[in-house]
Amino acid sequence: RIFREYGEEPGARRIARLVVEERRRRPFQTTAQLVNLLEQAQGPGGRRGRLHPATRVFQAIRITVNQELDELTAFLTHAPAWLEPGGRLVVISYHSLEDRLVKHRMVAWERAGVMARLTRKPLTPTLAEIKANPRARSAKLRIAEKMVN
């Protein structure tokens, strides 16, 4: 469930089954052992797309362990109260689960008359920015301003 929901991994069931089988044989001692298993799980045909086979699985584990979506939700719940009228909230998200939460919350604030979205579509890095910092490739920036009552 974690690999599917938080990693948006298409082969989540198969990967989870392989992880469980491998753990029964011997517990994982290093992340490299898990990476090797995930590369093998990919099967013949090799790597598809630009993502490493372990990227989504490690994302799912990180989100779960750090409770990232719960923390983001808690932050977004309180953010408007921390701003003065006219104050701006700027949020950078790095994967679709985060971005979806931010987008939906900003839309809800706008409908409720609490905040106005200043960016209808997220701002994304230019090719030059991505070249200078490849990790920025998935970044999405959204801005909202607290309405003056």
Side-chain angles (χ1 to χ4, degrees):
R1 179 187 65 78
I2 290 169
F3 296 161
R4 184 182 65 248
E5 287 179 21
Y6 298 147
E8 298 178 311
E9 173 57 55
R13 286 184 194 275
R14 181 175 38 79
I15 290 169
R17 198 173 313 115
L18 289 170
V19 168
V20 169
E21 288 171 8
E22 185 65 23
R23 276 194 338 214
R24 283 189 184 129
R25 278 191 281 263
R26 63 185 168 117
F28 290 100
Q29 298 295 314
T30 67
T31 55
Q33 290 172 323
L34 179 56
V35 168
N36 289 336
L37 178 75
L38 296 170
E39 287 172 341
Q40 292 170 12
Q42 195 171 42
R47 191 168 165 172
R48 294 181 270 294
R50 69 173 190 241
L51 289 180
H52 187 277
T55 301
R56 288 187 180 114
V57 169
F58 277 89
Q59 172 182 303
I61 293 168
R62 189 195 73 236
I63 289 170
T64 302
V65 168
N66 296 334
Q67 300 176 333
E68 292 178 10
L69 298 180
D70 293 336
E71 293 294 326
L72 178 59
T73 299
F75 168 77
L76 293 172
T77 297
H78 299 290
W82 297 331
L83 294 171
E84 297 287 330
R88 292 183 178 180
L89 175 67
V90 178
V91 180
I92 300 174
S93 58
Y94 289 93
H95 55 77
S96 60
L97 298 172
E98 289 175 339
D99 188 55
R100 195 172 304 126
L101 269 174
V102 173
K103 174 183 156 185
H104 289 164
R105 187 58 60 99
M106 287 185 175
V107 168
W109 288 334
E110 192 167 56
R111 287 183 180 149
V114 175
M115 305 271 280
R117 286 182 296 157
L118 301 182
T119 52
R120 296 281 178 215
K121 299 282 184 187
L123 301 177
T124 56
T126 64
L127 291 175
E129 289 170 322
I130 294 169
K131 188 174 182 182
N133 179 10
R135 291 180 175 178
R137 74 181 181 272
S138 61
K140 293 187 178 184
L141 184 140
R142 293 181 183 272
I143 307 169
E145 182 175 87
K146 186 165 182 178
M147 299 180 89
V148 180
N149 294 340

